[in-house]
Amino acid sequence: MNYMWHLMIYFGIYGVLALSLNILVGACGLLTLAHAGYFALGAYTYAITTVAFGVDTMTAIGLSVGMAALFSLMISLPTWRLKGDYFVIASIAIQVLIYSAIYNWVESNAALGTADNMTNGPFGISSIPRPNIFGFELNSMPKVTLITLLVLGAVAWMNKKLLFSPWGRVLNAMRDDELAARSIGKNVQFYKVEAVLIACVLAGFAGALYSGYVSYIDPTLATMDQSILFLSMVLVGGTGNVRGPLTGALLLLVIPEILRMLQIPDNIAAEARIMLYGLLLIVMVHVRPKGLLGNYKLD
């Protein structure tokens, strides 16, 4: 039964990530490969503040969200005039920057103290405490599952309200014809900054939940493979609505579990998973460009 609890927890976390990315990809039409960086940023902020500084978990979650919000300016301000391939290239640069900082922040001099060894480099951070939400301690799998799915439900509700609100319709107008949106007096740069802010905040929040659940994190959270996985969830499931990203998150969560049940060796299964993701994307582009349940075809 713990196996099923585990899968539901992962679905909740991946669902939040897919929905957050859908705001950029589905509503704005901005293809980004930096989302794993913000996910890792939230996870590391939670881990560092709780393990190294003894901050309580609610404050740590708040700091994770705040850090993701602050660093969202890294992608929104320098790129608010960019679209298409140029935005993708800029997002890759930001992804590499975050990964490099996490991987290389290793203490070089023992006399400097722990402040210079924040991320512990490639060795990661262990013994991360489980969240304690308003006195409700998440010390069992059913409790963690309940909170994670409640969070997913709240994010899905918020995502739907945002996408079908006047704010969301402006994002859709920017996506379809940015010049037309400008011509009716919409400040498209400001809307882009807001969209990136919300998406990054949700990714940071998902990172804090993940960090508290698994109790160990390392730089693999911020790799390009992770960003491709999150993007695949949105593109395979479909963009522009709530059900598409959730379907994609569920599908790409199940694929590795099927490979595990087939008792394929781990080294082969890892490569097979990446190949399956790529194959799925190729098939979806040709057969179902909008994704399985999507409303919008990404150009």
PDB file of all heavy atoms in Angstrom, residues 89-125:
ATOM      1  N   ILE A  89      16.333  29.709 -25.738  1.00  0.00           N
ATOM      2  CA  ILE A  89      17.783  29.781 -25.502  1.00  0.00           C
ATOM      3  C   ILE A  89      18.071  30.481 -24.180  1.00  0.00           C
ATOM      4  O   ILE A  89      18.924  30.048 -23.397  1.00  0.00           O
ATOM      5  CB  ILE A  89      18.472  30.498 -26.677  1.00  0.00           C
ATOM      6  CG1 ILE A  89      18.374  29.637 -27.939  1.00  0.00           C
ATOM      7  CG2 ILE A  89      19.935  30.779 -26.346  1.00  0.00           C
ATOM      8  CD1 ILE A  89      18.815  30.347 -29.205  1.00  0.00           C
ATOM      9  N   ALA A  90      17.351  31.575 -23.914  1.00  0.00           N
ATOM     10  CA  ALA A  90      17.553  32.295 -22.653  1.00  0.00           C
ATOM     11  C   ALA A  90      17.189  31.425 -21.462  1.00  0.00           C
ATOM     12  O   ALA A  90      17.870  31.436 -20.430  1.00  0.00           O
ATOM     13  CB  ALA A  90      16.715  33.573 -22.653  1.00  0.00           C
ATOM     14  N   SER A  91      16.101  30.653 -21.580  1.00  0.00           N
ATOM     15  CA  SER A  91      15.686  29.779 -20.473  1.00  0.00           C
ATOM     16  C   SER A  91      16.715  28.675 -20.225  1.00  0.00           C
ATOM     17  O   SER A  91      16.966  28.293 -19.079  1.00  0.00           O
ATOM     18  CB  SER A  91      14.311  29.169 -20.760  1.00  0.00           C
ATOM     19  OG  SER A  91      14.364  28.185 -21.778  1.00  0.00           O
ATOM     20  N   ILE A  92      17.342  28.166 -21.296  1.00  0.00           N
ATOM     21  CA  ILE A  92      18.393  27.158 -21.135  1.00  0.00           C
ATOM     22  C   ILE A  92      19.576  27.752 -20.375  1.00  0.00           C
ATOM     23  O   ILE A  92      20.160  27.095 -19.498  1.00  0.00           O
ATOM     24  CB  ILE A  92      18.845  26.617 -22.508  1.00  0.00           C
ATOM     25  CG1 ILE A  92      17.719  25.806 -23.155  1.00  0.00           C
ATOM     26  CG2 ILE A  92      20.091  25.756 -22.372  1.00  0.00           C
ATOM     27  CD1 ILE A  92      18.012  25.362 -24.578  1.00  0.00           C
ATOM     28  N   ALA A  93      19.928  28.996 -20.699  1.00  0.00           N
ATOM     29  CA  ALA A  93      21.042  29.651 -20.009  1.00  0.00           C
ATOM     30  C   ALA A  93      20.761  29.779 -18.513  1.00  0.00           C
ATOM     31  O   ALA A  93      21.636  29.536 -17.673  1.00  0.00           O
ATOM     32  CB  ALA A  93      21.297  31.026 -20.623  1.00  0.00           C
ATOM     33  N   ILE A  94      19.530  30.127 -18.166  1.00  0.00           N
ATOM     34  CA  ILE A  94      19.153  30.273 -16.756  1.00  0.00           C
ATOM     35  C   ILE A  94      19.163  28.920 -16.063  1.00  0.00           C
ATOM     36  O   ILE A  94      19.608  28.782 -14.924  1.00  0.00           O
ATOM     37  CB  ILE A  94      17.777  30.958 -16.653  1.00  0.00           C
ATOM     38  CG1 ILE A  94      17.888  32.406 -17.131  1.00  0.00           C
ATOM     39  CG2 ILE A  94      17.239  30.906 -15.222  1.00  0.00           C
ATOM     40  CD1 ILE A  94      16.587  33.066 -17.421  1.00  0.00           C
ATOM     41  N   GLN A  95      18.675  27.890 -16.767  1.00  0.00           N
ATOM     42  CA  GLN A  95      18.685  26.535 -16.219  1.00  0.00           C
ATOM     43  C   GLN A  95      20.123  26.091 -15.906  1.00  0.00           C
ATOM     44  O   GLN A  95      20.403  25.575 -14.812  1.00  0.00           O
ATOM     45  CB  GLN A  95      18.055  25.580 -17.236  1.00  0.00           C
ATOM     46  CG  GLN A  95      18.300  24.112 -16.998  1.00  0.00           C
ATOM     47  CD  GLN A  95      17.443  23.557 -15.894  1.00  0.00           C
ATOM     48  OE1 GLN A  95      16.409  24.116 -15.574  1.00  0.00           O
ATOM     49  NE2 GLN A  95      17.879  22.463 -15.291  1.00  0.00           N
ATOM     50  N   VAL A  96      21.028  26.312 -16.828  1.00  0.00           N
ATOM     51  CA  VAL A  96      22.433  25.932 -16.630  1.00  0.00           C
ATOM     52  C   VAL A  96      23.047  26.725 -15.487  1.00  0.00           C
ATOM     53  O   VAL A  96      23.833  26.192 -14.687  1.00  0.00           O
ATOM     54  CB  VAL A  96      23.230  26.136 -17.940  1.00  0.00           C
ATOM     55  CG1 VAL A  96      24.725  25.940 -17.700  1.00  0.00           C
ATOM     56  CG2 VAL A  96      22.744  25.182 -19.020  1.00  0.00           C
ATOM     57  N   LEU A  97      22.689  27.993 -15.382  1.00  0.00           N
ATOM     58  CA  LEU A  97      23.213  28.836 -14.312  1.00  0.00           C
ATOM     59  C   LEU A  97      22.805  28.312 -12.937  1.00  0.00           C
ATOM     60  O   LEU A  97      23.638  28.196 -12.025  1.00  0.00           O
ATOM     61  CB  LEU A  97      22.719  30.274 -14.501  1.00  0.00           C
ATOM     62  CG  LEU A  97      23.119  31.281 -13.422  1.00  0.00           C
ATOM     63  CD1 LEU A  97      24.626  31.480 -13.423  1.00  0.00           C
ATOM     64  CD2 LEU A  97      22.405  32.610 -13.657  1.00  0.00           C
ATOM     65  N   ILE A  98      21.536  27.974 -12.779  1.00  0.00           N
ATOM     66  CA  ILE A  98      21.046  27.465 -11.492  1.00  0.00           C
ATOM     67  C   ILE A  98      21.688  26.121 -11.174  1.00  0.00           C
ATOM     68  O   ILE A  98      22.139  25.877 -10.047  1.00  0.00           O
ATOM     69  CB  ILE A  98      19.511  27.359 -11.502  1.00  0.00           C
ATOM     70  CG1 ILE A  98      18.879  28.751 -11.621  1.00  0.00           C
ATOM     71  CG2 ILE A  98      19.000  26.662 -10.235  1.00  0.00           C
ATOM     72  CD1 ILE A  98      17.369  28.737 -11.768  1.00  0.00           C
ATOM     73  N   TYR A  99      21.749  25.237 -12.166  1.00  0.00           N
ATOM     74  CA  TYR A  99      22.362  23.918 -11.945  1.00  0.00           C
ATOM     75  C   TYR A  99      23.829  24.056 -11.544  1.00  0.00           C
ATOM     76  O   TYR A  99      24.301  23.381 -10.622  1.00  0.00           O
ATOM     77  CB  TYR A  99      22.237  23.064 -13.204  1.00  0.00           C
ATOM     78  CG  TYR A  99      22.987  21.748 -13.107  1.00  0.00           C
ATOM     79  CD1 TYR A  99      22.467  20.688 -12.380  1.00  0.00           C
ATOM     80  CD2 TYR A  99      24.233  21.600 -13.720  1.00  0.00           C
ATOM     81  CE1 TYR A  99      23.161  19.490 -12.279  1.00  0.00           C
ATOM     82  CE2 TYR A  99      24.925  20.412 -13.622  1.00  0.00           C
ATOM     83  CZ  TYR A  99      24.385  19.359 -12.902  1.00  0.00           C
ATOM     84  OH  TYR A  99      25.082  18.184 -12.792  1.00  0.00           O
ATOM     85  N   SER A 100      24.557  24.917 -12.241  1.00  0.00           N
ATOM     86  CA  SER A 100      25.982  25.092 -11.951  1.00  0.00           C
ATOM     87  C   SER A 100      26.197  25.633 -10.546  1.00  0.00           C
ATOM     88  O   SER A 100      27.118  25.210  -9.837  1.00  0.00           O
ATOM     89  CB  SER A 100      26.615  26.036 -12.974  1.00  0.00           C
ATOM     90  OG  SER A 100      26.518  25.503 -14.278  1.00  0.00           O
ATOM     91  N   ALA A 101      25.342  26.569 -10.128  1.00  0.00           N
ATOM     92  CA  ALA A 101      25.467  27.137  -8.782  1.00  0.00           C
ATOM     93  C   ALA A 101      25.230  26.065  -7.720  1.00  0.00           C
ATOM     94  O   ALA A 101      25.964  25.971  -6.733  1.00  0.00           O
ATOM     95  CB  ALA A 101      24.480  28.287  -8.611  1.00  0.00           C
ATOM     96  N   ILE A 102      24.211  25.234  -7.934  1.00  0.00           N
ATOM     97  CA  ILE A 102      23.907  24.170  -6.973  1.00  0.00           C
ATOM     98  C   ILE A 102      25.025  23.135  -6.930  1.00  0.00           C
ATOM     99  O   ILE A 102      25.458  22.700  -5.858  1.00  0.00           O
ATOM    100  CB  ILE A 102      22.562  23.501  -7.331  1.00  0.00           C
ATOM    101  CG1 ILE A 102      21.404  24.475  -7.090  1.00  0.00           C
ATOM    102  CG2 ILE A 102      22.351  22.221  -6.522  1.00  0.00           C
ATOM    103  CD1 ILE A 102      20.067  23.962  -7.585  1.00  0.00           C
ATOM    104  N   TYR A 103      25.520  22.761  -8.087  1.00  0.00           N
ATOM    105  CA  TYR A 103      26.515  21.682  -8.176  1.00  0.00           C
ATOM    106  C   TYR A 103      27.880  22.101  -7.639  1.00  0.00           C
ATOM    107  O   TYR A 103      28.616  21.292  -7.075  1.00  0.00           O
ATOM    108  CB  TYR A 103      26.654  21.236  -9.631  1.00  0.00           C
ATOM    109  CG  TYR A 103      27.470  19.976  -9.802  1.00  0.00           C
ATOM    110  CD1 TYR A 103      26.867  18.731  -9.709  1.00  0.00           C
ATOM    111  CD2 TYR A 103      28.841  20.034 -10.065  1.00  0.00           C
ATOM    112  CE1 TYR A 103      27.611  17.564  -9.869  1.00  0.00           C
ATOM    113  CE2 TYR A 103      29.587  18.880 -10.211  1.00  0.00           C
ATOM    114  CZ  TYR A 103      28.963  17.648 -10.118  1.00  0.00           C
ATOM    115  OH  TYR A 103      29.689  16.507 -10.261  1.00  0.00           O
ATOM    116  N   ASN A 104      28.218  23.373  -7.802  1.00  0.00           N
ATOM    117  CA  ASN A 104      29.584  23.814  -7.488  1.00  0.00           C
ATOM    118  C   ASN A 104      29.712  24.570  -6.174  1.00  0.00           C
ATOM    119  O   ASN A 104      30.824  24.975  -5.819  1.00  0.00           O
ATOM    120  CB  ASN A 104      30.115  24.703  -8.623  1.00  0.00           C
ATOM    121  CG  ASN A 104      30.317  23.931  -9.909  1.00  0.00           C
ATOM    122  OD1 ASN A 104      31.107  23.012  -9.965  1.00  0.00           O
ATOM    123  ND2 ASN A 104      29.573  24.297 -10.934  1.00  0.00           N
ATOM    124  N   TRP A 105      28.608  24.754  -5.438  1.00  0.00           N
ATOM    125  CA  TRP A 105      28.689  25.497  -4.182  1.00  0.00           C
ATOM    126  C   TRP A 105      29.184  24.552  -3.083  1.00  0.00           C
ATOM    127  O   TRP A 105      28.453  24.130  -2.207  1.00  0.00           O
ATOM    128  CB  TRP A 105      27.327  26.074  -3.823  1.00  0.00           C
ATOM    129  CG  TRP A 105      27.399  27.193  -2.823  1.00  0.00           C
ATOM    130  CD1 TRP A 105      28.421  27.486  -1.978  1.00  0.00           C
ATOM    131  CD2 TRP A 105      26.395  28.177  -2.577  1.00  0.00           C
ATOM    132  NE1 TRP A 105      28.119  28.583  -1.213  1.00  0.00           N
ATOM    133  CE2 TRP A 105      26.878  29.031  -1.562  1.00  0.00           C
ATOM    134  CE3 TRP A 105      25.130  28.410  -3.101  1.00  0.00           C
ATOM    135  CZ2 TRP A 105      26.138  30.104  -1.063  1.00  0.00           C
ATOM    136  CZ3 TRP A 105      24.387  29.473  -2.619  1.00  0.00           C
ATOM    137  CH2 TRP A 105      24.893  30.309  -1.616  1.00  0.00           C
ATOM    138  N   VAL A 106      30.460  24.235  -3.147  1.00  0.00           N
ATOM    139  CA  VAL A 106      31.083  23.314  -2.204  1.00  0.00           C
ATOM    140  C   VAL A 106      32.145  24.064  -1.426  1.00  0.00           C
ATOM    141  O   VAL A 106      32.900  24.865  -1.985  1.00  0.00           O
ATOM    142  CB  VAL A 106      31.724  22.106  -2.930  1.00  0.00           C
ATOM    143  CG1 VAL A 106      32.342  21.154  -1.927  1.00  0.00           C
ATOM    144  CG2 VAL A 106      30.685  21.391  -3.771  1.00  0.00           C
ATOM    145  N   GLU A 107      32.205  23.796  -0.144  1.00  0.00           N
ATOM    146  CA  GLU A 107      33.174  24.459   0.728  1.00  0.00           C
ATOM    147  C   GLU A 107      34.601  24.180   0.251  1.00  0.00           C
ATOM    148  O   GLU A 107      34.997  23.032   0.061  1.00  0.00           O
ATOM    149  CB  GLU A 107      32.979  23.970   2.156  1.00  0.00           C
ATOM    150  CG  GLU A 107      33.873  24.632   3.178  1.00  0.00           C
ATOM    151  CD  GLU A 107      33.587  24.110   4.574  1.00  0.00           C
ATOM    152  OE1 GLU A 107      32.671  23.280   4.710  1.00  0.00           O
ATOM    153  OE2 GLU A 107      34.278  24.523   5.500  1.00  0.00           O
ATOM    154  N   SER A 108      35.375  25.249   0.080  1.00  0.00           N
ATOM    155  CA  SER A 108      36.764  25.093  -0.352  1.00  0.00           C
ATOM    156  C   SER A 108      37.756  25.210   0.791  1.00  0.00           C
ATOM    157  O   SER A 108      38.908  24.846   0.671  1.00  0.00           O
ATOM    158  CB  SER A 108      37.100  26.152  -1.415  1.00  0.00           C
ATOM    159  OG  SER A 108      36.885  27.458  -0.890  1.00  0.00           O
ATOM    160  N   ASN A 109      37.289  25.728   1.926  1.00  0.00           N
ATOM    161  CA  ASN A 109      38.170  25.915   3.080  1.00  0.00           C
ATOM    162  C   ASN A 109      37.385  25.606   4.340  1.00  0.00           C
ATOM    163  O   ASN A 109      36.394  26.265   4.644  1.00  0.00           O
ATOM    164  CB  ASN A 109      38.698  27.355   3.110  1.00  0.00           C
ATOM    165  CG  ASN A 109      39.747  27.551   4.195  1.00  0.00           C
ATOM    166  OD1 ASN A 109      39.867  26.743   5.113  1.00  0.00           O
ATOM    167  ND2 ASN A 109      40.515  28.620   4.077  1.00  0.00           N
ATOM    168  N   ALA A 110      37.810  24.585   5.088  1.00  0.00           N
ATOM    169  CA  ALA A 110      37.056  24.172   6.277  1.00  0.00           C
ATOM    170  C   ALA A 110      36.946  25.288   7.303  1.00  0.00           C
ATOM    171  O   ALA A 110      36.016  25.332   8.092  1.00  0.00           O
ATOM    172  CB  ALA A 110      37.725  22.948   6.913  1.00  0.00           C
ATOM    173  N   ALA A 111      37.903  26.212   7.284  1.00  0.00           N
ATOM    174  CA  ALA A 111      37.896  27.305   8.264  1.00  0.00           C
ATOM    175  C   ALA A 111      36.801  28.323   7.967  1.00  0.00           C
ATOM    176  O   ALA A 111      36.480  29.157   8.811  1.00  0.00           O
ATOM    177  CB  ALA A 111      39.253  27.997   8.275  1.00  0.00           C
ATOM    178  N   LEU A 112      36.211  28.247   6.780  1.00  0.00           N
ATOM    179  CA  LEU A 112      35.202  29.232   6.418  1.00  0.00           C
ATOM    180  C   LEU A 112      33.853  28.947   7.059  1.00  0.00           C
ATOM    181  O   LEU A 112      32.995  29.810   7.108  1.00  0.00           O
ATOM    182  CB  LEU A 112      35.042  29.278   4.882  1.00  0.00           C
ATOM    183  CG  LEU A 112      36.266  29.774   4.106  1.00  0.00           C
ATOM    184  CD1 LEU A 112      35.992  29.672   2.619  1.00  0.00           C
ATOM    185  CD2 LEU A 112      36.615  31.200   4.494  1.00  0.00           C
ATOM    186  N   GLY A 113      33.608  27.717   7.506  1.00  0.00           N
ATOM    187  CA  GLY A 113      32.338  27.385   8.140  1.00  0.00           C
ATOM    188  C   GLY A 113      31.292  26.904   7.147  1.00  0.00           C
ATOM    189  O   GLY A 113      31.491  26.898   5.937  1.00  0.00           O
ATOM    190  N   THR A 114      30.122  26.531   7.666  1.00  0.00           N
ATOM    191  CA  THR A 114      29.079  25.927   6.840  1.00  0.00           C
ATOM    192  C   THR A 114      28.433  26.909   5.878  1.00  0.00           C
ATOM    193  O   THR A 114      27.816  26.513   4.913  1.00  0.00           O
ATOM    194  CB  THR A 114      27.982  25.331   7.735  1.00  0.00           C
ATOM    195  OG1 THR A 114      27.467  26.378   8.584  1.00  0.00           O
ATOM    196  CG2 THR A 114      28.515  24.221   8.594  1.00  0.00           C
ATOM    197  N   ALA A 115      28.529  28.203   6.131  1.00  0.00           N
ATOM    198  CA  ALA A 115      27.881  29.186   5.264  1.00  0.00           C
ATOM    199  C   ALA A 115      28.413  29.131   3.841  1.00  0.00           C
ATOM    200  O   ALA A 115      27.759  29.575   2.917  1.00  0.00           O
ATOM    201  CB  ALA A 115      28.058  30.593   5.823  1.00  0.00           C
ATOM    202  N   ASP A 116      29.637  28.610   3.647  1.00  0.00           N
ATOM    203  CA  ASP A 116      30.217  28.510   2.318  1.00  0.00           C
ATOM    204  C   ASP A 116      30.016  27.127   1.709  1.00  0.00           C
ATOM    205  O   ASP A 116      30.633  26.783   0.712  1.00  0.00           O
ATOM    206  CB  ASP A 116      31.711  28.850   2.368  1.00  0.00           C
ATOM    207  CG  ASP A 116      31.937  30.325   2.629  1.00  0.00           C
ATOM    208  OD1 ASP A 116      31.800  31.118   1.689  1.00  0.00           O
ATOM    209  OD2 ASP A 116      32.222  30.659   3.786  1.00  0.00           O
ATOM    210  N   ASN A 117      29.178  26.339   2.301  1.00  0.00           N
ATOM    211  CA  ASN A 117      28.931  24.991   1.798  1.00  0.00           C
ATOM    212  C   ASN A 117      27.425  24.719   1.789  1.00  0.00           C
ATOM    213  O   ASN A 117      26.972  23.691   2.234  1.00  0.00           O
ATOM    214  CB  ASN A 117      29.656  23.978   2.692  1.00  0.00           C
ATOM    215  CG  ASN A 117      29.703  22.600   2.045  1.00  0.00           C
ATOM    216  OD1 ASN A 117      29.594  22.486   0.833  1.00  0.00           O
ATOM    217  ND2 ASN A 117      29.839  21.578   2.850  1.00  0.00           N
ATOM    218  N   MET A 118      26.691  25.679   1.293  1.00  0.00           N
ATOM    219  CA  MET A 118      25.235  25.640   1.392  1.00  0.00           C
ATOM    220  C   MET A 118      24.615  24.398   0.758  1.00  0.00           C
ATOM    221  O   MET A 118      23.817  23.706   1.363  1.00  0.00           O
ATOM    222  CB  MET A 118      24.642  26.894   0.747  1.00  0.00           C
ATOM    223  CG  MET A 118      24.837  28.161   1.543  1.00  0.00           C
ATOM    224  SD  MET A 118      23.913  28.139   3.080  1.00  0.00           S
ATOM    225  CE  MET A 118      24.178  29.819   3.634  1.00  0.00           C
ATOM    226  N   THR A 119      24.965  24.113  -0.487  1.00  0.00           N
ATOM    227  CA  THR A 119      24.283  23.039  -1.214  1.00  0.00           C
ATOM    228  C   THR A 119      24.975  21.687  -1.073  1.00  0.00           C
ATOM    229  O   THR A 119      24.433  20.677  -1.516  1.00  0.00           O
ATOM    230  CB  THR A 119      24.189  23.378  -2.707  1.00  0.00           C
ATOM    231  OG1 THR A 119      25.513  23.385  -3.267  1.00  0.00           O
ATOM    232  CG2 THR A 119      23.551  24.745  -2.918  1.00  0.00           C
ATOM    233  N   ASN A 120      26.183  21.663  -0.525  1.00  0.00           N
ATOM    234  CA  ASN A 120      26.976  20.438  -0.398  1.00  0.00           C
ATOM    235  C   ASN A 120      27.322  19.844  -1.761  1.00  0.00           C
ATOM    236  O   ASN A 120      27.625  18.649  -1.871  1.00  0.00           O
ATOM    237  CB  ASN A 120      26.264  19.397   0.465  1.00  0.00           C
ATOM    238  CG  ASN A 120      27.224  18.404   1.089  1.00  0.00           C
ATOM    239  OD1 ASN A 120      28.388  18.719   1.336  1.00  0.00           O
ATOM    240  ND2 ASN A 120      26.755  17.198   1.335  1.00  0.00           N
ATOM    241  N   GLY A 121      27.270  20.669  -2.788  1.00  0.00           N
ATOM    242  CA  GLY A 121      27.699  20.260  -4.118  1.00  0.00           C
ATOM    243  C   GLY A 121      27.023  19.000  -4.624  1.00  0.00           C
ATOM    244  O   GLY A 121      25.823  18.804  -4.425  1.00  0.00           O
ATOM    245  N   PRO A 122      27.778  18.113  -5.276  1.00  0.00           N
ATOM    246  CA  PRO A 122      27.190  16.896  -5.850  1.00  0.00           C
ATOM    247  C   PRO A 122      26.724  15.887  -4.813  1.00  0.00           C
ATOM    248  O   PRO A 122      26.039  14.920  -5.152  1.00  0.00           O
ATOM    249  CB  PRO A 122      28.339  16.321  -6.688  1.00  0.00           C
ATOM    250  CG  PRO A 122      29.578  16.857  -6.052  1.00  0.00           C
ATOM    251  CD  PRO A 122      29.223  18.227  -5.555  1.00  0.00           C
ATOM    252  N   PHE A 123      27.093  16.084  -3.529  1.00  0.00           N
ATOM    253  CA  PHE A 123      26.724  15.125  -2.492  1.00  0.00           C
ATOM    254  C   PHE A 123      25.305  15.325  -1.976  1.00  0.00           C
ATOM    255  O   PHE A 123      24.736  14.450  -1.341  1.00  0.00           O
ATOM    256  CB  PHE A 123      27.714  15.216  -1.324  1.00  0.00           C
ATOM    257  CG  PHE A 123      29.138  15.044  -1.748  1.00  0.00           C
ATOM    258  CD1 PHE A 123      29.989  16.134  -1.802  1.00  0.00           C
ATOM    259  CD2 PHE A 123      29.618  13.814  -2.133  1.00  0.00           C
ATOM    260  CE1 PHE A 123      31.303  15.991  -2.211  1.00  0.00           C
ATOM    261  CE2 PHE A 123      30.920  13.655  -2.542  1.00  0.00           C
ATOM    262  CZ  PHE A 123      31.767  14.748  -2.585  1.00  0.00           C
ATOM    263  N   GLY A 124      24.727  16.491  -2.235  1.00  0.00           N
ATOM    264  CA  GLY A 124      23.350  16.731  -1.844  1.00  0.00           C
ATOM    265  C   GLY A 124      23.176  17.001  -0.358  1.00  0.00           C
ATOM    266  O   GLY A 124      24.133  17.105   0.400  1.00  0.00           O
ATOM    267  N   ILE A 125      21.921  17.096   0.056  1.00  0.00           N
ATOM    268  CA  ILE A 125      21.560  17.369   1.445  1.00  0.00           C
ATOM    269  C   ILE A 125      20.629  16.272   1.929  1.00  0.00           C
ATOM    270  O   ILE A 125      19.651  15.930   1.259  1.00  0.00           O
ATOM    271  CB  ILE A 125      20.867  18.738   1.584  1.00  0.00           C
ATOM    272  CG1 ILE A 125      21.783  19.859   1.065  1.00  0.00           C
ATOM    273  CG2 ILE A 125      20.471  19.014   3.033  1.00  0.00           C
ATOM    274  CD1 ILE A 125      21.119  21.222   1.021  1.00  0.00           C
TER     275      ILE A 125
END
